[in-house]
Amino acid sequence: MNTNAINAQKAAQQIVRISQGVSEGMIIKRVQPSYPSQARLMHLEGTVELQANISQSGGISEVKQLSGSPILGRAAVDAVRQWKYKPYYLNGQPVEIQTQVTVNFKLP
């Protein structure tokens, strides 16, 4: 059995973690979150930290809230799910990547 081929296949299936700074430069389409009316009434502001998996084609395959208000978090997750990125290439092949996304909510 060719272990090099198996190892290459496993490497291609792994999720590559990249910094938020690198992923920021790869964004093609960014959707701003809608400010939740409940948060507006409560004068709630703040930062929501998300972990996002970006598919080989550049779409969002998974988003998970890491920190921040649950009310603001839902709006942030809904917006980030619509984002689109340039595909990330490793050794000439597009790979799935994982990065952090920070969404800031500030009342106007």
Side-chain angles (χ1 to χ4, degrees):
M1 180 173 267
N2 185 346
T3 57
N4 288 339
I6 293 170
N7 290 338
Q9 187 177 8
K10 283 183 184 176
Q13 293 173 353
Q14 289 178 343
I15 296 175
V16 177
R17 289 188 180 185
I18 63 169
S19 72
Q20 187 169 353
V22 171
S23 66
E24 281 282 324
M26 298 170 51
I27 297 174
I28 297 171
K29 176 186 171 194
R30 181 190 310 252
V31 175
Q32 292 299 320
S34 300
Y35 218 110
S37 56
Q38 184 181 4
R40 195 180 300 271
L41 290 172
M42 296 168 58
H43 301 285
L44 186 61
E45 296 182 331
T47 300
V48 176
E49 293 288 336
L50 305 173
Q51 177 179 294
N53 288 5
I54 303 162
S55 71
Q56 293 175 358
S57 64
I60 301 295
S61 59
E62 185 180 336
V63 180
K64 179 171 66 172
Q65 183 175 349
L66 300 175
S67 67
S69 161
I71 296 168
L72 297 176
R74 281 191 293 273
V77 167
D78 289 345
V80 171
R81 283 188 201 277
Q82 301 173 62
W83 289 16
K84 186 77 174 164
Y85 288 79
K86 295 177 196 169
Y88 186 84
Y89 287 85
L90 183 65
N91 299 325
Q93 298 293 319
V95 294
E96 186 169 356
I97 58 174
Q98 185 177 80
T99 190
Q100 277 194 259
V101 176
T102 302
V103 180
N104 294 307
F105 287 86
K106 184 152 178 64
L107 288 167

